[in-house]
Each structure stands twice: as structure tokens, then as C-alpha cells.
Amino acid sequence: HLKIMDQVGNGRSEPKVLFFTTIPSNLHDIRLSTDIEISMDPVIENNRVYLNARVDNLGTSDECDVYVDIMDDGELYDRKVINSLPAGSSREVTWSYVAGHETSTFTLLLDPMMSIPEDDRSDNSASISLNSEYRDLAVRSDYIIPSDWDAKEGDVITLSFQIMNIGSIHTDQFKVRVSEDD
């Protein structure tokens, strides 16, 4: 309810026209997309893998110096800085790593120092686990069989052995080097 009283200098009453508007407040709302893109599928051990995540500014306030911490199994792996994130815009955050033999879990934390005054921070983190596929050939050491058990000096002996693929991906071609002594 609004009541306005005004008196004109000569004692007359005049109608007043009022204009109402709402002024938007600076709403801070940044978000980290949960869809993280991977450059390689499947992830192969010893290869460089590139990952890409999107940061959105859904608020009405422009943001600058937005930090994204990239954690690898709980340890800080990298910190990215987005210098400018205008309201309604998006930016990409990219990082890479060399795939190892074990699983790597990356967790992204948007605004880790909580410098942007957001009410809801539930969309400020995202995680991805990457299982590496690997090649691993092995010689079964308990399965080396000579062609002649009673060989004498100068006899030619053929050794048979078994090679196993204990890795997680198919291996088409490989070489075996057999050496005597050293």
C-alpha cells in the first residue's frame, strides 16, 4: 500500500503519476556441468588423455577470476582461472594427464575459496573416474619345455614356452627376444 500527499504551491490538487519498477539485484549463480568430455574411449595406459568441463554463469552478475580446482584422488592436480565469466555465458575448462595402470578419479571444485556469494553450492562440483585399459604380456615361467631332456653337448634343443595376455585389451602383434646368459 502506498499513499502520497503533495500540495501544489497555489493550493490546487493535481493528479500524480507513479512509475513502479523492480531493480534486479546481483544474483550470483555459477554452475559446473556434470558432463565431462573425454578425448579417448577407451582410455589406454601411457596415452595422454584430454578432459573438458563447462562452467556456466546462470546469474545476473558478471564474474571475474573464477577458480576451478582439479583434484586427482584427493590431491590438488591443477588450478584453472577463468578471467571473465559474464552473466549468461559459459567457459570451457580443459586439462590432461597421462593414463596410468590404475583408476584415476578427478573431482572439480568450482570457486573452492567460496569468494562468490552463492546461496546454493550443490552444483559447484563434479567427478569422473577413469579406468585405464592396458596391454600386458607375460611369459609363463613354469612352462618352459625343452625338446630333449637328455641332450648332449652339440645337440640342438628347441624350447617351447607359453605367452599370456594378462592385460585388459587385445594385442595383435608382438616380438619375443630370446637371449643366452646376458
Side-chain angles (χ1 to χ4, degrees):
H1 180 73
L2 182 64
K3 182 178 181 182
I4 293 181
M5 300 181 79
D6 190 16
Q7 186 174 7
V8 181
N10 61 6
R12 290 182 303 145
S13 293
E14 287 188 2
K16 302 293 178 195
V17 178
L18 301 176
F19 295 94
F20 293 95
T21 184
T22 56
I23 300 172
S25 63
N26 286 339
L27 172 66
H28 299 274
D29 187 11
I30 53 175
R31 177 185 75 166
L32 191 57
S33 174
T34 56
D35 298 326
I36 298 173
E37 296 176 8
I38 308 165
S39 65
M40 179 182 293
D41 186 24
V43 173
I44 309 285
E45 181 182 22
N46 296 324
N47 283 289
R48 181 158 295 279
V49 181
Y50 294 89
L51 296 105
N52 193 34
R54 191 180 78 243
V55 177
D56 301 315
N57 184 350
L58 304 175
T60 59
S61 177
D62 294 345
E63 306 294 350
C64 60
D65 294 338
V66 178
Y67 292 90
V68 179
D69 280 357
I70 302 167
M71 311 296 285
D72 181 11
D73 295 323
E75 300 291 325
L76 181 64
Y77 180 78
D78 198 0
R79 173 172 280 169
K80 302 290 183 177
V81 181
I82 300 170
N83 294 321
S84 173
L85 188 61
S89 70
S90 298
R91 296 286 187 266
E92 301 293 324
V93 174
T94 302
W95 74 101
S96 69
Y97 83 108
V98 176
H101 192 69
E102 65 284 337
T103 299
S104 292
T105 301
F106 288 100
T107 302
L108 280 69
L109 302 173
L110 180 58
D111 189 31
M113 296 165 283
M114 297 188 202
S115 59
I116 298 172
E118 287 190 274
D119 291 334
D120 182 12
R121 295 185 173 275
S122 63
D123 54 4
N124 285 19
S125 66
S127 293
I128 187 169
S129 290
L130 302 167
N131 297 315
S132 297
E133 302 288 341
Y134 57 95
R135 291 181 173 91
D136 192 357
L137 300 177
V139 175
R140 190 170 155 188
S141 60
D142 63 339
Y143 192 75
I144 299 177
I145 301 173
S147 59
D148 186 357
W149 291 94
D150 296 323
K152 296 174 185 51
E153 187 175 342
D155 288 351
V156 175
I157 299 173
T158 302
L159 294 176
S160 298
F161 54 93
Q162 190 175 48
I163 296 175
M164 303 179 307
N165 182 359
I166 58 175
S168 61
I169 57 177
H170 180 71
T171 301
D172 288 329
Q173 298 178 5
F174 55 91
K175 292 181 181 180
V176 177
R177 189 179 111 199
V178 179
S179 59
E180 183 180 0
D181 297 330
D182 294 331

